[in-house]
Amino acid sequence: MGFLEWLSHETSLHSLLTHGTRDIYIILLSRFLRMYAYGGAALVLGIFLYTAGNSGPQIGAFMSMTLLGDAAISYVLTMISDKIGRRRVLRIGSLLMTLAGTVFASTRNYYLLLFAAIFGVISPGAHEVGPFRAVEESTLAQLTPIEARTDVYAWFAVTSTIGMSLGLCVSGWITYVLRTYFEWDWKEGHMYPFIFAIYAVVGVVKFCLTFLLSDRCEANYDRQTEMDVAEREASAPLMGGGDRRTSYSTPRKVTETVRRIGGTVHTKLTPESRTILIKLCCLFALNSFASGMLPVTLMSWYANWRYRWFLTNRVGYTMAAVWLVASIANLFSASVARRLGLIRAMVFTHLPTAIFLAFIPLASTWWLMAMLLLASSAFGSMDQAPRSAFVAAVFLPSERTAVMGTLNLVRTLAAAGGPLVTGYFHEKKMWTAVFFLSAVLKISYDVGLLVMFVNTKLPETQRRPRDITVTDVDVGILLSESLTPPEAYERVDDEEEGGYMYERGYGKDQGKWNYEHIEEL
């Protein structure tokens, strides 16, 4: 195997090119543009609020209220996305993003900005907000075969970090140009509305991109197609030649199919899924609260404050380099997960982040702090792809969108408390306590993951010759010659029986299942 071929497989590029579709590429492009806008706005948001005359607690409260508003809107839109259409929800989110960017580019009034931040979509920390992530991750899980899911999620994370890196770099360069060549004073805050105007334009572009997505992205697309095929196969053995061609498409059967499809849209969690969801909510909330204490916005504010208002463009370049390193690390996250398993990959790549984070306030020079940030970032983002793959695999397909929306809500709500704590410690000149507390919480999250989920069984591995857990084999290599393909055993809720049945049989048992199913009907 040549070096380029090896690199293609290790970075998951080969898998992306093999299984990628137009819809997948559009989703990746959409996330890249969104995170570009988030990164650019995050660099200047804290400084923009400071130049508008707001104190540390006011800035912390502003960011917390912003996250709470984003959480509420995101949760509502995510919960109804499978019913009203995922593409429609993405369009609504894009318009809210444009609304927020327009208001921030037009005024410095604290309450108007707070209103736009709560009821619009704006990222106070260069991290994911709005309904986009949950809907897109659920859609990618539907569009991607199980053997390529971790690889596609790795590139989903890569587009995020590259977008943030470019946004931070461009935003820093714009502030440099406006200050150097147009002689705009950063303390007056006149240069920052231009950044928010770009944010609004990106929302418009994202709105247009949603019209290029096909109906394959909708929640009921695969369900409707597979039910129609299964119905034809089940009817075939009992029908004559002419009837076999037309019976399944009669109005009565079409109506019945639509009724059954509508009934499956409503999400019902199994007891096992509910238990797993509660555990994940507790752990993700812990980690998000720790991350919310030190988002990019507050890190930029901290760097400017500590080094006597260091030039914003240099902070932007440094943070851009941090996220670029994170992008390179993300390319190999799927490869690491294939070797360690999903949970171990999540823990062992995330744990060093907390250690490096704790030493940042002890750095004596700017360059030493930058090196610690680079080291922390290199490991900190590698858990994104295995985490998304684990969530997609541990829940049933019909549960994914609602579960991911719930986890996104929990993460955002927990992160909302972080800026309040940071604002309080800033007033007390106790930044070291912020970094130390964040590191301790992140370590607790990693230990909790390892203890609670190291032997969790995946639903997609049920009905197999042996039980398989996430520590035995990565989701990306579940398919092998000795294992039955999981798509042959997709489970749906059977209300009449009160349990579960499988939509399709497989191999030699398929015909037997079809006849038995017809007799039951």
Side-chain angles (χ1 to χ4, degrees), residues 268-284 390 394-396 399 403 406-407 448-449 451-453 456-457 459 500:
K268 296 180 181 179
L269 296 181
T270 64
E272 295 81 3
S273 295
R274 192 176 297 110
T275 301
I276 293 174
L277 179 60
I278 293 174
K279 292 180 180 179
L280 287 176
C281 283
C282 294
L283 291 174
F284 284 9
F390 175 75
V394 80
F395 294 100
L396 299 174
E399 301 170 341
V403 164
T406 301
L407 291 174
L449 270 179
V451 171
M452 294 183 185
F453 293 105
T456 299
K457 297 177 182 178
Y500 287 91

Side-chain angles (χ1 to χ4, degrees), residues 48-63:
F48 172 69
L49 293 174
Y50 176 81
T51 57
N54 301 299
S55 64
Q58 283 181 309
I59 295 174
F62 181 95
M63 295 184 180

Side-chain angles (χ1 to χ4, degrees), residues 131-304:
F132 305 107
R133 179 174 180 173
V135 174
E136 289 173 347
E137 285 184 340
S138 182
T139 303
L140 288 175
Q142 178 174 303
L143 295 173
T144 309
I146 188 174
E147 68 269 22
R149 189 176 297 157
T150 308
D151 298 328
V152 172
Y153 279 141
W155 278 95
F156 188 66
V158 168
T159 56
S160 170
T161 50
I162 290 180
M164 281 190 286
S165 176
L166 184 61
L168 289 163
C169 182
V170 172
S171 181
W173 178 79
I174 289 175
T175 61
Y176 170 76
V177 170
L178 294 178
R179 186 187 67 254
T180 303
Y181 298 102
F182 294 88
E183 298 182 351
W184 289 7
D185 187 357
W186 70 269
K187 293 183 179 180
E188 298 296 328
H190 297 311
M191 63 179 69
Y192 306 126
F194 189 78
I195 306 297
F196 295 111
I198 297 176
Y199 188 96
V201 171
V202 171
V204 175
V205 175
K206 278 177 53 61
F207 177 81
C208 297
L209 283 176
T210 59
F211 289 95
L212 300 179
L213 294 172
S214 71
D215 56 357
R216 293 178 180 272
C217 298
E218 301 299 344
N220 65 348
Y221 178 82
D222 284 343
R223 187 178 296 111
Q224 182 175 4
T225 302
E226 293 173 0
M227 289 175 67
D228 189 54
V229 172
E231 189 172 308
R232 279 184 285 172
E233 292 178 350
S235 303
L238 304 180
M239 299 295 178
D243 294 336
R244 183 166 56 243
R245 291 191 301 270
T246 59
S247 61
Y248 68 88
S249 60
T250 60
R252 182 183 66 81
K253 288 188 175 292
V254 171
T255 302
E256 179 67 15
T257 299
V258 172
R259 184 188 68 80
R260 291 166 62 191
I261 292 171
T264 58
V265 172
H266 180 66
T267 303
K268 296 180 181 179
L269 296 181
T270 64
E272 295 81 3
S273 295
R274 192 176 297 110
T275 301
I276 293 174
L277 179 60
I278 293 174
K279 292 180 180 179
L280 287 176
C281 283
C282 294
L283 291 174
F284 284 9
L286 192 66
N287 184 54
S288 295
F289 179 79
S291 299
M293 295 172 64
L294 291 167
V296 172
T297 298
L298 295 183
M299 285 294 295
S300 173
W301 184 28
Y302 167 73
N304 278 271

Side-chain angles (χ1 to χ4, degrees), residues 32-66:
F32 167 80
L33 293 173
R34 180 170 71 252
M35 301 312 293
Y36 166 84
Y38 287 174
L43 177 67
V44 302
L45 180 58
I47 304 173
F48 172 69
L49 293 174
Y50 176 81
T51 57
N54 301 299
S55 64
Q58 283 181 309
I59 295 174
F62 181 95
M63 295 184 180
S64 295
M65 293 297 294
T66 300

